């Protein structure tokens, strides 16, 4: 039964970062927008991703601080974890942020529809509510932002000890033994969190190294640090199955056929990436195409094959990052407003991994720059000698900057800034600007960094590339 039919300037399907950013940004420009969400506003990022995972990591950081308090002259007993409190704190943060999005939608008169949105011809969207009732709305433009869900692997069905990021984030205790299948960014964040909180953690990674996309110098720092947390890193191994035990745990089987190994654990975190979730979008009778991997096909302007229909965020084959979803949302909305746009430059977006030690980068790493044919000059500085790093007691890590070598043999344009160490996710903005402004090292070296600060390391590394320095 069609209850109503309402016309909007813009209809957005999916209320995660891509979707809510599109609706709110459009509304701030005076657009009459509708936002269709079948679950909770905020999507993966707020409810099952970035925010809860970082809240857990912060608990792990507090645990580390307390454990090392004596080094700062603070006598305390050994820290004990009450993870139910951690969970409640995380839930409060999430609820506050989700409520904030709802309030912003209300304030900007974005109409929120609770239900599954499916797109038909002529930009008509049918919203099916939980009770089965349907509402039809139409947009002059439509943005698809249905996001992604965890990928699964054969023989590891969710349930009991087998978890994806969704279930791990609902844990109310620290498992004694945890195996993380997949050593990517999300897997490493969980490994880091639970190892710092006292779990015995093993990472099983099929590729030859964890964090495979990362510059080797940075990856080595993370591996060394993880080892000092007693995280057992097993690379080049394939998990084949598991045998549950009566105590609620399981034995994971992995390795080559002729040398299968077994690991008894309480929790298995399957962290092998995320797949796009176009499953409930309908799309029949439209020109929107979905490729063989499930991604909605778009051009560099996020335009689908259907006139006036865009797709953004994890639903399309671009970096699966909330802030990339924001950028794509803005790109799409500006086009609906008839404004000039330039495509998102995906090779220059900021990346951040919040494990301990943190990792952040923008632009090409050394291997990529060389593979792209650049003649490069590289400078590296460790946090070990940085005064603020010593003050905060976090001296592992480095800054590494890759610059294009000019005809005179000197370092010229900054191609990439890569950092690992304390709070580098908060320090990347200078490097991000340098890369995206296509600045030269001489230009960036003119800028003054505050002293004492962690960000001085970026300044010193840039200065070294000018051929001079006072701290190198
Ligand atoms: C553990 C974890 C940690 C992460 N950490 C970070 C991080 O630190 N930084 C970062 O940038 N990224 C991080 N990410 C990735 C980030 O969460 C995603 O890139 C981001 O959420 C994608 O936004 P999106 O809007 O495209 O999709 P989603 O956030 O997945 O939102 C899609 C929304 O659409 C809804 N939906 C789907 N189909 C329909 C339909 N037919 N009708 C109505 N609603 C529908 C879904 O219910 C969902 O709410 C992390 C992810 C995970 C899992």
């Amino acid at each position: 039964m069609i209850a109503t039919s309402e016309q909007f300037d813009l209809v957005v399907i999916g209320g995660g970062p891509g979707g809510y950013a599109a609706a709110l940004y459009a509304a701030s420009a005076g657009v009459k927008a509708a936002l269709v969400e079948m679950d909770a506003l905020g999507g993966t990022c707020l409810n099952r991703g970035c925010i809860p995972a970082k809240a857990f990591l912060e608990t792990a950081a507090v645990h580390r601080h307390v454990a090392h308090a004596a080094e700062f002259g603070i006598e305390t007993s050994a820290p004990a974890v009450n993870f139910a409190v951690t969970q409640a704190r995380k839930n409060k943060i999430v609820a506050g942020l989700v409520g904030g999005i709802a309030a912003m939608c209300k304030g900007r008169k974005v109409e929120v529809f609770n239900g599954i949105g499916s797109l038909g011809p002529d930009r008509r969207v049918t919203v099916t509510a939980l009770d089965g009732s349907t509402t039809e709305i139409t947009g002059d433009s439509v943005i698809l932002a249905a996001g992604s869900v965890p990928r699964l692997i054969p023989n590891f069905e969710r349930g009991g000890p087998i978890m994806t990021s969704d279930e791990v984030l609902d844990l109310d205790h620290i498992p004694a033994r945890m195996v993380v299948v997949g050593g990517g960014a999300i897997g490493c964040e969980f490994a880091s969190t639970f190892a710092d909180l006292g779990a015995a953690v093993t990472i099983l990674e099929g590729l030859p190294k964890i964090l495979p996309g990362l510059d080797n110098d940075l990856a080595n720092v993370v591996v060394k640090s993880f080892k000092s947390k007693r995280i057992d890193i097993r690379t080049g191994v394939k998990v084949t199955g598991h045998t549950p035990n009566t105590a609620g745990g399981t034995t994971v089987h992995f390795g080559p056929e002729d040398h299968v190994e077994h690991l008894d654990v309480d929790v298995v975190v399957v962290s092998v990436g995320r797949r796009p979730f176009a499953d409930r979008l309908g799309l029949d009778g439209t020109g929107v195409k979905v490729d063989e991997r499930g991604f909605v096909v778009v051009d560099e302007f996020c335009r689908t094959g259907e006139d006036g229909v865009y797709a953004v965020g994890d639903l399309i084959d671009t970096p699966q990052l909330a802030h990339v979803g924001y950028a794509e949302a803005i790109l799409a909305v500006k086009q609906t407003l008839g404004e000039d746009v330039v495509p998102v430059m995906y090779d220059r977006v900021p990346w951040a991994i919040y494990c301990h030690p943190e990792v952040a980068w923008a632009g090409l790493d050394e291997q990529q720059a060389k593979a792209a044919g650049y003649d490069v000059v590289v400078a590296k500085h460790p946090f070990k000698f940085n005064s603020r790093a010593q003050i905060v007691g976090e001296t592992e890590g480095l800054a590494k900057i890759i610059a294009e070598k000019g005809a005179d043999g000197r370092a010229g344009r900054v191609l990439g800034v890569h950092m690992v160490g304390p709070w580098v996710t908060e320090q990347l903005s200078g490097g991000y600007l340098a890369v995206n402004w296509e600045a030269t090292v001489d230009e960036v070296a003119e800028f003054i960094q505050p002293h004492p600060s962690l960000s001085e390391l970026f300044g010193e590394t840039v200065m070294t590339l000018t051929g001079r320095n006072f701290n190198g």
Side-chain angles (χ1 to χ4, degrees):
M1 252 292 253
I2 303 298
T4 61
S5 178
E6 201 178 341
Q7 177 75 32
F8 290 86
D9 300 332
L10 172 68
V11 174
V12 182
I13 304 180
Y20 73 69
L24 291 170
Y25 184 81
S28 77
V31 166
K32 183 184 176 194
L35 180 60
V36 185
E37 170 55 56
M38 65 181 202
D39 190 356
L41 286 176
T44 303
C45 171
L46 261 63
N47 298 287
R48 300 173 295 279
C50 329
I51 302 300
K54 265 87 259 184
F56 280 7
L57 277 156
E58 205 51 39
T59 287
V62 171
H63 190 279
R64 282 196 311 275
H65 294 320
V66 176
H68 292 279
E71 292 167 23
F72 293 77
I74 304 294
E75 302 293 342
T76 177
S77 52
V81 183
N82 181 344
F83 206 62
V85 174
T86 305
Q87 184 60 255
R89 178 177 184 273
K90 176 269 275 182
N91 287 340
K92 195 172 164 203
I93 296 166
V94 169
L97 292 170
V98 170
I101 290 177
M104 281 193 289
C105 286
K106 198 169 170 205
R108 292 183 190 188
K109 299 193 174 26
V110 171
E111 195 159 337
V112 177
F113 290 84
N114 298 119
I116 299 165
S118 61
L119 179 71
D122 303 321
R123 297 183 299 281
R124 269 200 319 275
V125 174
T126 306
V127 183
T128 308
L130 263 185
D131 63 5
S133 62
T134 57
T135 306
E136 192 176 281
I137 54 179
T138 308
D140 291 343
S141 305
V142 171
I143 296 180
L144 306 175
S148 63
V149 291
R151 246 179 236 289
L152 299 171
I153 44 175
N155 304 329
F156 286 83
E157 302 307 324
R158 286 191 214 205
I162 309 300
M163 303 185 180
T164 67
S165 52
D166 291 356
E167 293 81 27
V168 178
L169 291 166
D170 284 335
L171 275 173
D172 62 1
H173 68 283
I174 305 293
R177 300 160 304 173
M178 172 183 273
V179 66
V180 178
V181 180
I186 294 173
C188 283
E189 288 190 359
F190 284 131
S192 175
T193 298
F194 287 97
D196 275 341
L197 293 175
V201 178
T202 305
I203 299 177
L204 299 178
E205 167 59 54
L207 293 171
K209 64 174 196 165
I210 61 165
L211 299 171
L214 197 60
D215 183 279
N216 284 337
D217 286 320
L218 274 69
N220 291 342
V221 173
V222 176
V223 168
K224 193 168 165 221
S225 174
F226 273 20
K227 286 186 175 160
S228 72
K229 291 181 199 296
R230 299 187 199 290
I231 297 176
D232 189 10
I233 303 173
R234 309 288 299 271
T235 53
V237 294
K238 189 171 184 298
V239 291
T240 49
H242 73 104
T243 310
N245 61 37
T246 51
T250 193
T251 303
V252 176
H253 315 298
F254 64 97
E257 246 172 56
D258 56 348
H259 182 62
V260 178
E261 292 185 70
H262 311 281
L263 188 64
D264 296 332
V265 293
D266 303 296
V267 163
V268 179
V269 184
V270 178
S271 183
V272 292
R274 298 179 61 82
R275 71 164 181 87
F277 185 68
D279 308 22
R280 313 297 288 273
L281 283 174
L283 307 178
D284 292 341
T286 74
V288 179
K289 298 269 176 297
V290 176
D291 73 15
E292 65 285 353
R293 290 175 305 153
F295 290 108
V296 167
V297 178
V298 290
D299 66 9
E300 58 181 346
F301 294 98
C302 294
R303 294 180 297 207
T304 68
E306 178 82 7
D307 203 26
V309 178
Y310 302 82
V312 302
D314 284 10
L315 187 61
I316 63 175
D317 190 9
T318 56
Q320 291 182 324
L321 294 165
H323 45 276
V324 168
Y326 294 151
E328 291 167 342
I330 293 170
L331 177 77
V333 170
K334 281 186 168 173
Q335 290 171 88
T336 70
L337 294 167
E339 295 174 8
D340 289 339
V341 288
V342 286
V344 176
M345 282 187 272
Y346 294 107
D347 55 346
R348 299 184 191 180
V349 300
W351 289 83
I353 305 173
Y354 297 76
C355 58
H356 177 253
E358 290 188 350
V359 182
W361 74 96
L364 302 176
D365 69 27
E366 188 174 356
Q367 298 95 322
Q368 289 166 337
K370 285 177 179 164
Y374 287 106
D375 202 1
V376 296
V377 189
V378 176
K380 293 182 245 183
H381 274 264
F383 272 109
K384 195 162 49 175
F385 306 116
N386 175 276
S387 51
R388 190 82 194 276
Q390 293 181 25
I391 291 163
V392 299
E394 294 264 353
T395 51
E396 64 184 354
L398 58 92
K400 176 172 179 179
I401 302 181
I402 294 95
E404 186 177 11
K405 191 189 268 185
D408 56 1
R410 295 188 65 240
R413 179 162 69 107
V414 179
L415 297 174
V417 176
H418 299 253
M419 307 179 86
V420 55
W423 291 103
V424 294
T425 57
E426 295 292 340
Q427 295 177 59
L428 183 67
S429 51
Y432 170 78
L433 277 179
V435 169
N436 281 273
W437 222 288
E438 301 184 353
T440 64
V441 297
D442 288 340
E443 287 164 340
V444 182
E446 293 287 329
F447 293 107
I448 300 169
Q449 308 291 337
H451 175 79
S453 71
L454 297 168
S455 56
E456 276 180 293
L457 195 72
F458 168 66
E460 281 163 18
T461 314
V462 172
M463 200 189 293
T464 298
L465 284 167
T466 68
R468 299 176 190 165
N469 64 43
F470 50 79
N471 250 333

